[in-house]
Amino acid sequence: MKMSKKSKVIIYILLFAVALYFLAPFVYMFFSTFKTEAEAIAYPPKLFPSDWKLSNYIDAWKSQPFGTYLWNSVLVTVLTTIGQVLSCSLVAYGFARFEFKGKNILFVILLSTMMIPWDVTMIPQYMEFKMFGWINTLKPLIVPTFFGSAYYIFLMRQFLMGIPKDYEEAARIDGANAFQIYWKIFMPILKPSLILVGVLNMITVWNDYLGPLIFLQDRSKYTLALGLASFKGVHSTQIIPMLCITMIMIIPPIIIFIIAQKYIVEGTSGSIK
């Protein structure tokens, strides 16, 4: 049944009101980054600063080596995303398109690992990485992602299950082997799902605090999330520097999400039109 114009207007107004309710704290925080300390804690609060302090961001950024923290975060985020996309798509391709003995049992075992919280495996992983000599390096944060994630594998496998077998049969007739079919046929079809996995992984890794806290000791290896927590400990009584760094940290995931939202919807809705 078609909605009337009046009903659409009412729904849009309600949606705008709900969005404004959730966005209001972030908008207030953004404008507060340009205020003085006195203005930020003044009551009643004012949305716009009386004197715009653009130097707040520069002073906060220079107070600690946030350039190093940012580089570490970007490096870890990019490499882990590459690792997850490649490994998970390859494993999902195997589970979705091949028939072999024990496939269903292996898949159930894989899915059951999602029920194990990271807190349980944290100590064994730390002991393992210590034995490898990886503690206080970025390797514990990067290398495991090249072995896949159960949730992302499941996501891609369900996506691949919806693709007709005609594609690979036609490719086999043309002489393509299994890897060529995976790389040249299914990877382009998987684009929405790959972007979805990439965005989800990027947001998770970018905001990860516990992993870097456990495996990193040298401040030159800190990620932005860990550096921000350290920064808050030093500047616990200063509101403006914390707001500035927090704003810098939340901007990249928001931009990535806005750019990729079309593919995120496609990646969760189905494989092909």
Side-chain angles (χ1 to χ4, degrees):
M1 188 173 71
K2 254 183 137 179
M3 292 177 62
S4 65
K5 189 174 181 181
K6 185 178 179 181
S7 300
K8 287 183 179 180
V9 170
I10 294 173
I11 291 174
Y12 285 136
I13 291 173
L14 290 173
L15 290 174
F16 177 78
V18 172
L20 188 64
Y21 173 78
F22 285 104
L23 287 174
F26 295 100
V27 173
Y28 181 77
M29 181 176 73
F30 172 73
F31 287 113
S32 294
T33 59
F34 301 101
K35 298 176 181 178
T36 61
E37 290 283 344
E39 278 188 304
I41 61 176
Y43 187 83
K46 293 192 306 180
L47 179 60
F48 299 105
S50 56
D51 184 19
W52 293 74
K53 298 280 187 181
L54 300 176
S55 60
N56 288 342
Y57 281 92
I58 299 173
D59 295 339
W61 189 261
K62 289 183 177 179
S63 62
Q64 286 196 21
F66 280 107
T68 302
Y69 301 161
L70 177 62
W71 166 250
N72 291 337
S73 287
V74 170
L75 182 65
V76 171
T77 302
V78 170
L79 292 180
T80 55
T81 301
I82 293 173
Q84 292 286 16
V85 165
L86 291 178
S87 59
C88 293
S89 61
L90 190 59
V91 175
Y93 170 65
F95 275 119
R97 314 307 290 189
F98 288 93
E99 294 296 332
F100 53 90
K101 189 175 182 181
K103 182 180 81 170
N104 294 331
I105 296 175
L106 287 175
F107 190 65
V108 170
I109 294 173
L110 175 70
L111 293 182
S112 65
T113 61
M114 291 194 293
M115 296 186 291
I116 305 174
W118 191 72
D119 309 64
V120 175
T121 60
M122 180 172 57
I123 295 176
Q125 278 189 353
Y126 182 87
M127 296 171 64
E128 180 182 1
F129 294 142
K130 186 177 181 181
M131 183 177 64
F132 292 159
W134 289 0
I135 300 300
N136 199 30
T137 69
L138 298 178
K139 292 178 183 178
L141 305 176
I142 298 172
V143 174
T145 60
F146 283 83
F147 293 90
S149 166
Y151 175 69
Y152 297 148
I153 292 171
F154 171 76
L155 200 66
M156 290 189 184
R157 184 245 186 197
Q158 296 305 108
F159 192 93
L160 285 168
M161 292 289 286
I163 300 175
K165 291 187 178 293
D166 300 348
Y167 288 88
E168 54 195 303
E169 288 174 358
R172 285 199 179 95
I173 292 174
D174 289 337
N177 56 38
F179 184 79
Q180 289 174 326
I181 294 173
Y182 155 73
W183 188 255
K184 296 183 178 180
I185 305 296
F186 287 109
M187 285 296 276
I189 296 176
L190 268 172
K191 182 181 177 181
S193 187
L194 295 176
I195 294 176
L196 172 61
V197 169
V199 171
L200 292 177
N201 180 77
M202 194 218 78
I203 294 173
T204 301
V205 174
W206 186 264
N207 296 315
D208 185 24
Y209 167 74
L210 188 57
L213 178 65
I214 293 172
F215 300 123
L216 304 178
Q217 299 166 358
D218 189 353
R219 296 182 72 87
S220 64
K221 302 291 195 306
Y222 279 12
T223 58
L224 201 56
L226 191 56
L228 176 60
S230 173
F231 181 76
K232 286 180 178 178
V234 176
H235 299 269
S236 57
T237 58
Q238 295 177 293
I239 298 174
I240 300 303
M242 288 191 295
L243 291 180
C244 291
I245 300 301
T246 303
M247 183 58 63
I248 291 172
M249 185 171 176
I250 66 175
I251 286 175
I254 293 175
I255 294 174
I256 294 296
F257 184 82
I258 292 173
I259 293 173
Q261 61 179 336
K262 172 188 173 183
Y263 298 101
I264 292 174
V265 174
E266 291 181 9
T268 55
S269 60
S271 54
I272 56 175
K273 296 181 181 179

